[in-house]
Amino acid sequence: AGARVAQSLERARDLGLRDEHDQMTLALQELLIHPDLRHHPDVSKAIAMAHGDATYRAVTASWSQGRWDTIQKQMNQGKTIP
């Protein structure tokens, strides 16, 4: 499990998330929701927004549980992976 966490953190950094808390948030979400979560269009957009003034955490904090459930369902069905 430690290797997966390290890989997720590295991916978050590679995606340009500079804030350590943002990196940890995305890594945890990848572990809990789906390992390719970063490919979902909503999540990709949130990551892009975090390259500006916003943080990834701030962008995704207001997302409802229903939204996360839908994202997970879409990811599990392979509907959003390029």
Side-chain angles (χ1 to χ4, degrees):
R4 287 185 59 203
V5 171
Q7 290 170 344
S8 290
L9 287 168
E10 185 175 336
R11 265 194 306 274
R13 283 189 295 273
D14 291 346
L15 290 168
L17 294 178
R18 297 177 303 268
D19 183 275
E20 286 185 12
H21 293 284
D22 282 352
Q23 294 168 11
M24 288 186 281
T25 299
L26 180 59
L28 181 61
Q29 291 168 343
E30 284 188 346
L31 294 169
L32 295 174
I33 298 171
H34 195 278
D36 294 319
L37 183 67
R38 66 199 174 280
H39 294 300
H40 190 278
D42 292 352
V43 175
S44 293
K45 187 174 182 178
I47 291 168
M49 292 173 72
H51 294 162
D53 293 333
T55 64
Y56 176 79
R57 291 180 328 280
V59 173
T60 59
S62 64
W63 293 5
S64 68
Q65 184 61 48
R67 185 173 186 178
W68 284 113
D69 291 344
T70 298
I71 290 170
Q72 184 176 38
K73 182 178 178 182
Q74 291 170 337
M75 295 301 300
N76 287 338
Q77 293 174 347
K79 291 186 176 180
T80 61
I81 298 174

